[in-house]
């Protein structure tokens, strides 16, 4: 029986390191094509998130440790490139191919993080509290991409929700996380069965004597 580890490594590589720009975006392509490719990548990400949610708790925790570490690596590297370029979120759609590649990786990873953070918020919150550098990197990334002028409405909504969930911005008074999934605790094989409820036996009473018989 083959181990599942290689397939998870390939999945992480595809989700985190492989930009949709490098898949099929030429130097002369337009903003519309950029987002067509981005939305196709988002479909892959959402399917992957569904698979993550189906993992048992221990495997899910291990996978989250791995993928958040890789996200931090990619975001940190591309943050340097973006900041060195002087590009700010409110600017025009960039023509420089290297800059577009860095932006796409940052945008993809931020959206994937938001997908996971909104569905498994407690696990993500714990990691952000335990790993300061991860916390700082992810907060910067979400804060940066949520202000990009090129976003569609669906992506903007996702990023706004996540920014509130991780307390990057103040929560709206009526804030509600519609994606939160409560995991029902599964019974383990070694868990003892609940003790049976004992029924009290009712004592049968004999026939009562009437007053005339006394």
């Amino acid at each position: 029986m083959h181990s599942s580890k290689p397939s998870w490594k390939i999945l992480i590589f595809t989700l985190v390191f492989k930009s949709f720009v490098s898949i099929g975006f030429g130097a002369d392509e337009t903003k519309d094509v950029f987002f067509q490719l981005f939305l196709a990548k988002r479909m892959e990400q959402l399917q992957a998130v569904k698979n993550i949610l189906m993992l048992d708790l221990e495997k899910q925790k291990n996978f989250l440790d791995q993928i958040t570490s890789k996200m931090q690596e990619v975001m940190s590297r591309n943050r340097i490139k973006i900041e060195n370029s002087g590009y700010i979120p409110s600017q025009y759609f960039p023509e420089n191919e290297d800059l577009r590649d860095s932006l796409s990786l940052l945008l993809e990873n931020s959206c994937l993080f938001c997908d996971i953070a909104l569905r498994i918020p407690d696990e993500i919150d714990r990691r952000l509290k335990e790993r300061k550098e991860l916390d700082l990197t992810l907060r910067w990334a979400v804060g940066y991409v949520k202000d990009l002028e090129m976003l569609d409405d669906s992506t903007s909504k996702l990023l706004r929700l996540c920014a509130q969930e991780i307390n990057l911005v103040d929560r709206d008074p009526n804030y509600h996380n519609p994606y939160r999934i409560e995991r029902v605790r599964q019974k383990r094989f070694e868990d003892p069965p609940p003790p049976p409820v004992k029924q009290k036996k009712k004592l049968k009473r004999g026939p009562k004597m009437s007053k005339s018989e006394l």
Side-chain angles (χ1 to χ4, degrees):
M1 186 174 180
H2 294 288
S3 170
S4 60
K5 287 186 179 180
S7 62
W8 281 118
K9 287 181 180 179
I10 292 171
L11 177 60
I12 290 174
F13 174 82
T14 303
L15 290 175
V16 178
F17 290 98
K18 196 168 183 63
S19 160
F20 62 84
V21 169
S22 63
I23 295 172
F25 195 93
D28 58 343
E29 300 289 359
T30 64
K31 175 182 173 181
D32 290 339
V33 178
F34 180 92
F35 269 96
Q36 287 174 13
L37 293 168
F38 167 67
L39 293 176
K41 183 64 180 284
R42 289 290 295 135
M43 295 298 290
E44 292 180 18
Q45 290 180 332
L46 290 170
Q47 184 57 53
V49 171
K50 289 180 182 178
N51 293 335
I52 295 170
L53 295 174
M54 293 173 64
L55 294 173
D56 65 54
L57 194 56
E58 197 59 35
K59 288 181 179 179
Q60 188 182 93
K61 287 181 178 179
N62 290 335
F63 184 81
L64 291 176
D65 286 339
Q66 293 179 54
I67 200 166
T68 50
S69 293
K70 297 304 181 185
M71 284 179 180
Q72 180 183 352
E73 177 185 337
V74 170
M75 288 174 170
S76 298
R77 184 170 64 246
N78 287 284
R79 176 180 184 174
I80 295 171
K81 293 180 180 180
I82 292 169
E83 290 182 337
N84 286 343
S85 75
Y87 183 83
I88 57 176
S90 59
Q91 281 183 323
Y92 53 85
F93 184 67
E95 295 181 1
N96 182 277
E97 194 171 347
D98 289 337
L99 178 57
R100 286 196 308 217
D101 189 59
S102 290
L103 279 174
S104 67
L105 281 168
L106 187 66
L107 179 58
E108 291 169 31
N109 278 276
S110 297
C111 289
L112 178 60
F113 167 73
C114 290
D115 287 330
I116 297 172
L118 288 168
R119 288 165 175 80
I120 323 175
D122 295 337
E123 285 294 324
I124 292 299
D125 182 62
R126 180 172 64 81
R127 282 164 179 77
L128 295 180
K129 288 178 178 176
E130 292 175 351
R131 295 155 59 185
K132 189 64 177 175
E133 286 301 317
L134 175 68
D135 180 58
L136 292 173
T137 301
L138 288 170
R139 287 176 182 278
W140 172 83
V142 173
Y144 186 91
V145 299
K146 76 178 179 62
D147 293 329
L148 288 171
E149 290 291 328
M150 60 185 76
L151 299 178
D152 62 297
D153 291 341
S154 177
T155 305
S156 293
K157 180 181 178 181
L158 173 74
L159 292 163
R160 285 197 305 270
L161 281 172
C162 183
Q164 293 179 77
E165 182 63 39
I166 64 175
N167 295 306
L168 177 64
V169 298
D170 292 335
R171 294 185 178 184
D172 294 334
N174 58 344
Y175 171 75
H176 167 68
N177 178 357
Y179 300 103
R180 176 185 282 271
I181 295 175
E182 299 294 343
R183 181 182 286 268
V184 179
R185 182 180 177 272
Q186 296 179 343
K187 291 184 179 180
R188 298 180 300 172
F189 179 75
E190 62 269 23
D191 286 346
V197 179
K198 293 182 178 180
Q199 297 288 340
K200 291 183 179 180
K201 293 183 178 180
K202 293 184 179 180
L203 298 175
K204 292 184 178 181
R205 296 183 180 182
K208 292 183 180 180
M209 296 179 69
S210 62
K211 290 183 179 180
S212 61
E213 293 176 316
L214 294 177

